[in-house]
Amino acid sequence: MFRSKKEFTAAFLSLLPTFIAILIFVYGFILWTIRVSFSAWVGVMPNFTFTWFSNYADIFTSERFQIDLWNTFFFTIFFLSICVAGGLLLAIFLDRKLKGKSLFRNIFLFPMAVSFVVTGVAWRWIFNPGMAGSPTGINLILSQTGLSGLEWGWFTQPAQFLHFHVALIPVVIAAAWQLTGYTMAMYLAGLSGIPLEIKEAARMDGASEIQIYRRVILPMLAPITLSVLIILVHISLKIFDLVYTMTGSGPGFATDVPGINMFEKTFRGNRYGEGAAISVVMFILMALIIIPYLLHSLRREKK
Amino acid sequence: MKKVLPVFSLTAVLAVVLIALTSCGKTAENKLEIFTWWTAGGEADGLQAMVQVFSNENPGIEFVNAAVAGGAGQNAKAVLATRMQGGNPPDSFQVHAGHELIDSWVVAGKMEPIDFIFTNQMDKFPKGVLDIISYKGHIFSVPVDIHRANVMWYNKKVFAENKLKVPATWDEFFAVADKLKAKGIAPLAIGDNGIWASTMVFETVLIAKLGPDGYRGLWTGQTAWDSDGVKDAIKTFVKVLGYINDNHNALSWDQAAQLVADGKCAMTIMGDWAEGYFTSKGLKPNVDYGWAIAPGNKGSYEMLSDSFGLPIGAAHRANAIKWLQLCASKEGQEAFNPKKGSISSRNDCNRSLFDIYLQSAMDDFNKDNILPSLAHGAAASESWLTMCNDVMTLLVTDKDVEKADAGFVDAAKKSLKM
């Protein structure tokens, strides 16, 4: 691999600082968090008394954490579907030599440039329901256009169906608004990588446009879809800032997510043990998704 | 390229080491580093006035405010915790008097007792306040201001137009509330985004149902959380929820106060910082808005207080003590409180500096039973408070009295055994 010993030393030395930093600040602290999650640490001063799984027992029996897991589940499903379907659709439209294509591409991609905090605050204003008789935001538009029957509480609505809190809908919309443009950009790149010859060959064989998309283009976009899904899932599992600024925990934890729960348990309640346990659960959820993906891409690299 | 790389990485390593070394060298300047989250509005003005007094008395000491902005100081608390854990405390820091200070820092052995500040002036502070700031017979912080939590603010015009009497008990409250509701006015405004505003209303119901001693006993284990009194309080609170604005969870406390100012709601139960909000909107006390003690709370002064303590290992201990002496002094408190909109913790301050509401609060403060507030760190540790807030968040939506009571019992059990 290396032409000389000297070259090896050079590479080794230049990688060493990063390697050490990652070892300490990433892997070291992961281990430390796991250790804290087994401790009885309540209060601001560290207490490493072993309590084994009692923090985990506490969080899994707490109603709040159960709601968090359901919320994460539904948020992920809806957020992913909207981003993937919406992004793909936009990409296909833009790929069809539309006039002003680059203008639209930039408009759709622009929300990505905004921080989640800004998105959260802006969408909070938009969906703030106001009061009966003095609606604000979307409700104001609805009442001004004679659609006052559609006004409702948005993220202040505590209702739920089979563990799905309707208050999550505005949050999903805000998150999807921000990241659909990103999936679109990914798909656009994928579409431009598909050689024209393949499409033409399919057309020669008498395939209709829809058939070309279904049988030729979509399968060729599969690797893109996989990357998109992985990136979006990891955003969705650890989402914090958007929800925190937009709705907070919401009525009856309708929009609570593990990230917010962890933050409040740790830094407001000084319940470091339980906070660490929540982080570890989030970490495991994430690992269940990321590790198979890494293995998959490693295997592909070897080939 | 071959030679450049190792040279580059070595330089990088050297640079990191150098930065680390230079930041270790501490210079002993004549400073006073205070950690507070008073960064805006009246409280920042009050702090400025107090700093002015401090600089006049102690020329040559540089005052450094390591403030972190943000509401009830949630960001500040996280930064403070990091510094305290790292053995680099500020010279003094703002903290809610009571268990927020005691359970977090005093029990951990991070604070110095400061009884000496109070020598010869113990009689200037009410006993109820000294109890709240003491742990095992020693005093650990200087309360600069006193806020009252159990105040009900109401719109005078709404009450006059509907010929209603301001309710003094919860039964009267429900009678008045029914009449207001019939007129299409939401009786009680709550802005419980972040839940603590609901916790405050619930506290006043607890005081009303259990009485001052019963309420105090909740935090020491003498009053059982599964007692009938507590269950009655939860039921009453759930009933109150039927009379509040529907968008309560989208609002903050000041937006709820605005609903009262606009006459869309008739009353709100909020700490007396609400007065500062009303006056800042140009409303006149006793003309546009009125105040009463929360229903059933007569004779109880539910307080919260910002205080300063002395961390062990403060870099400029002597200066910190000068600061604490100023915080405890008549001069310092008179400079701070009128601007902040709170009363002094001393009972000998000049009444004429304070407005009409604060004067009435001063009268009550000197004769009432002084009780600690849960929502603002005085009654219980932050760990206990967040558990109670979690229970409240579910209670406000699902209104399940039994489940909430079980939650409170569990929170008390976990917190009292420590």
Side-chain angles (χ1 to χ4, degrees):
Chain A
M1 220 169 156
F2 293 99
R3 264 168 291 167
S4 67
K5 205 179 162 193
K6 217 168 160 192
E7 202 168 315
F8 174 78
T9 330
F12 179 76
L13 276 181
S14 24
L15 286 177
L16 195 62
T18 345
F19 180 72
I20 293 174
I22 290 179
L23 205 66
I24 297 173
F25 294 108
V26 178
Y27 296 95
F29 283 134
I30 289 175
L31 289 177
W32 192 74
T33 306
I34 294 175
R35 175 64 185 86
V36 171
S37 75
F38 290 123
S39 76
W41 183 354
V42 176
V44 277
M45 300 322 284
N47 168 7
F48 289 107
T49 321
F50 253 110
T51 55
W52 296 107
F53 288 92
S54 87
N55 287 323
Y56 291 90
D58 277 345
I59 60 166
F60 277 108
T61 50
S62 90
E63 190 176 349
R64 178 174 184 179
F65 191 66
Q66 290 165 9
I67 295 175
D68 290 347
L69 292 178
W70 281 112
N71 283 350
T72 304
F73 174 74
F74 285 111
F75 178 83
T76 308
I77 302 257
F78 290 116
F79 167 65
L80 255 57
S81 345
I82 296 179
C83 280
V84 169
L88 184 63
L89 213 64
L90 289 177
I92 290 173
F93 286 149
L94 287 186
D95 196 47
R96 298 190 68 87
K97 313 274 177 306
L98 195 72
K99 223 180 193 169
K101 171 183 167 181
S102 61
L103 176 73
F104 282 112
R105 194 181 53 204
N106 285 316
I107 287 177
F108 292 137
L109 195 55
F110 231 57
M112 256 277 287
V114 178
S115 134
F116 259 141
V117 176
V118 179
T119 315
V121 173
W123 283 92
R124 175 187 183 80
W125 291 332
I126 294 174
F127 280 112
N128 194 328
M131 279 183 82
S134 59
T136 54
I138 286 209
N139 279 356
L140 183 64
I141 297 178
L142 290 174
S143 80
Q144 296 285 323
T145 48
L147 293 168
S148 33
L150 291 175
E151 277 179 50
W152 72 324
W154 299 110
F155 60 76
T156 64
Q157 200 78 37
Q160 55 162 311
F161 305 103
L162 303 167
H163 297 292
F164 172 62
H165 284 97
V166 291
L168 275 176
I169 296 171
V171 185
V172 171
I173 293 176
W177 172 82
Q178 178 143 20
L179 284 158
T180 304
Y182 169 73
T183 31
M184 174 206 73
M186 297 272 281
Y187 278 123
L188 265 181
L191 284 172
S192 66
I194 297 174
L196 218 58
E197 291 82 8
I198 296 187
K199 279 191 232 171
E200 254 152 39
R203 219 164 273 142
M204 297 289 261
D205 289 341
S208 71
E209 281 302 294
I210 292 177
Q211 275 176 324
I212 295 177
Y213 274 105
R214 267 193 52 202
R215 313 255 172 195
V216 180
I217 294 182
L218 283 190
M220 291 188 79
L221 287 176
I224 306 259
T225 309
L226 186 63
S227 320
V228 164
L229 285 180
I230 293 293
I231 288 162
L232 293 183
V233 162
H234 102 271
I235 290 175
S236 140
L237 287 183
K238 64 182 190 195
I239 193 145
F240 170 79
D241 33 11
L242 174 78
V243 189
Y244 196 69
T245 48
M246 185 170 165
T247 62
S249 297
F253 299 122
T255 59
D256 200 44
V257 289
I260 294 181
N261 193 353
M262 186 268 281
F263 176 77
E264 287 189 347
K265 282 234 160 51
T266 316
F267 296 109
R268 292 203 173 169
N270 296 329
R271 307 185 68 77
Y272 285 81
E274 281 175 42
I278 296 176
S279 333
V280 171
V281 173
M282 287 169 72
F283 175 72
I284 291 172
L285 286 179
M286 205 84 77
L288 287 179
I289 311 244
I290 301 284
I291 290 178
Y293 174 72
L294 289 179
L295 289 179
H296 170 83
S297 52
L298 262 180
R299 222 175 291 139
R300 210 167 40 185
E301 253 169 51
K302 267 189 194 149
K303 274 181 204 163
Chain B
M1 194 58 198
K2 271 183 195 165
K3 272 183 188 157
V4 176
L5 264 179
V7 172
F8 175 75
S9 56
L10 274 178
T11 333
V13 170
L14 267 178
V16 170
V17 171
L18 267 177
I19 290 166
L21 280 178
T22 45
S23 59
C24 282
K26 245 189 195 163
T27 42
E29 290 158 277
N30 195 15
K31 293 203 296 194
L32 169 68
E33 195 197 16
I34 299 291
F35 205 95
T36 106
W37 56 88
W38 290 327
T39 50
E43 43 193 37
D45 296 343
L47 177 69
Q48 202 48 50
M50 213 158 51
V51 170
Q52 195 58 51
V53 178
F54 184 81
S55 310
N56 292 346
E57 285 176 0
N58 307 288
I61 299 179
E62 189 198 346
F63 182 91
V64 182
N65 181 4
V68 180
Q74 296 304 346
N75 305 329
K77 283 177 197 165
V79 177
L80 178 69
T82 314
R83 288 189 58 173
M84 295 286 277
Q85 287 160 0
N88 175 29
D91 298 324
S92 183
F93 59 89
Q94 177 191 353
V95 62
H96 282 133
H99 281 270
E100 185 172 317
L101 172 73
I102 290 164
D103 290 2
S104 293
W105 303 115
V106 176
V107 175
K110 292 282 164 181
M111 304 301 289
E112 223 179 288
I114 49 167
D115 306 79
F116 58 87
I117 303 266
F118 291 84
T119 337
N120 298 329
Q121 50 179 1
M122 288 288 264
D123 58 327
K124 300 285 185 279
F125 296 86
K127 184 175 175 299
V129 176
L130 293 174
D131 285 347
I132 288 173
I133 58 178
S134 298
Y135 176 69
K136 290 192 176 162
H138 291 287
I139 299 176
F140 281 92
S141 69
V142 179
V144 186
D145 57 9
I146 302 284
H147 275 295
R148 185 174 199 168
N150 55 346
V151 191
M152 189 172 73
W153 307 88
Y154 61 94
N155 185 311
K156 284 226 134 185
K157 279 183 199 128
V158 170
F159 272 78
E161 276 165 18
N162 296 292
K163 300 190 183 61
L164 292 170
K165 219 182 100 219
V166 179
T169 65
W170 283 107
D171 289 336
E172 286 177 35
F173 173 87
F174 291 122
V176 167
D178 279 328
K179 284 181 194 147
L180 285 164
K181 215 175 172 182
K183 302 256 172 171
I185 301 168
L188 188 72
I190 295 185
D192 69 348
N193 190 286
I195 207 64
W196 60 268
S198 275
T199 309
M200 285 185 72
V201 175
F202 180 58
E203 286 174 350
T204 67
V205 183
L206 278 173
I207 294 173
K209 296 292 172 188
L210 300 171
D213 291 328
Y215 173 80
R216 224 181 258 124
L218 287 173
W219 314 112
T220 59
Q222 268 147 359
T223 309
W225 278 90
D226 51 4
S227 62
D228 291 341
V230 175
K231 281 186 187 149
D232 185 26
I234 302 175
K235 273 182 210 141
T236 309
F237 175 74
V238 167
K239 195 173 168 197
V240 172
L241 292 175
Y243 294 93
I244 63 175
N245 48 318
D246 358 300
N247 61 339
H248 60 96
N249 60 45
L251 303 183
S252 55
W253 70 268
D254 47 319
Q255 290 168 314
Q258 186 60 43
L259 292 177
V260 176
D262 295 343
K264 284 178 187 147
C265 291
M267 303 168 262
T268 185
I269 291 178
M270 182 42 61
D272 55 11
W273 48 90
E275 213 225 349
Y277 179 80
F278 288 129
T279 47
S280 76
K281 293 285 161 186
L283 300 175
K284 295 206 175 52
N286 268 334
V287 179
D288 299 310
Y289 66 91
W291 61 87
I293 306 314
N297 277 231
K298 199 171 168 14
S300 296
Y301 196 105
E302 194 201 349
M303 67 154 259
L304 55 120
S305 164
D306 295 299
S307 69
F308 284 90
L310 186 60
I312 288 173
H316 313 92
R317 183 172 177 272
N319 293 349
I321 289 171
K322 283 181 192 151
W323 169 256
L324 295 176
Q325 277 162 345
L326 177 72
C327 290
S329 71
K330 187 164 180 282
E331 201 187 1
Q333 298 210 351
E334 282 179 355
F336 180 74
N337 285 304
K339 289 207 164 75
K340 159 104 168 144
S342 47
I343 66 168
S344 306
S345 59
R346 293 174 70 98
N347 50 25
D348 61 347
C349 285
N350 183 358
R351 282 175 66 93
S352 62
L353 292 170
F354 295 88
D355 76 4
I356 173 171
Y357 160 73
L358 291 172
Q359 288 181 5
S360 79
M362 288 164 102
D363 294 340
D364 287 351
F365 185 59
N366 287 326
K367 62 174 207 279
D368 278 2
N369 229 320
I370 292 174
L371 298 176
S373 151
L374 164 67
H376 298 277
S381 69
E382 291 175 289
S383 150
W384 194 348
L385 166 61
T386 44
M387 286 191 273
C388 289
N389 278 341
D390 279 5
V391 176
M392 287 299 298
T393 304
L394 291 167
L395 175 65
V396 170
T397 355
D398 63 20
K399 304 187 171 66
D400 185 335
V401 175
E402 289 301 323
K403 195 181 75 187
D405 195 42
F408 285 128
V409 169
D410 183 52
K413 201 168 71 192
K414 277 186 186 153
S415 307
L416 283 168
K417 75 172 178 213
M418 291 167 38

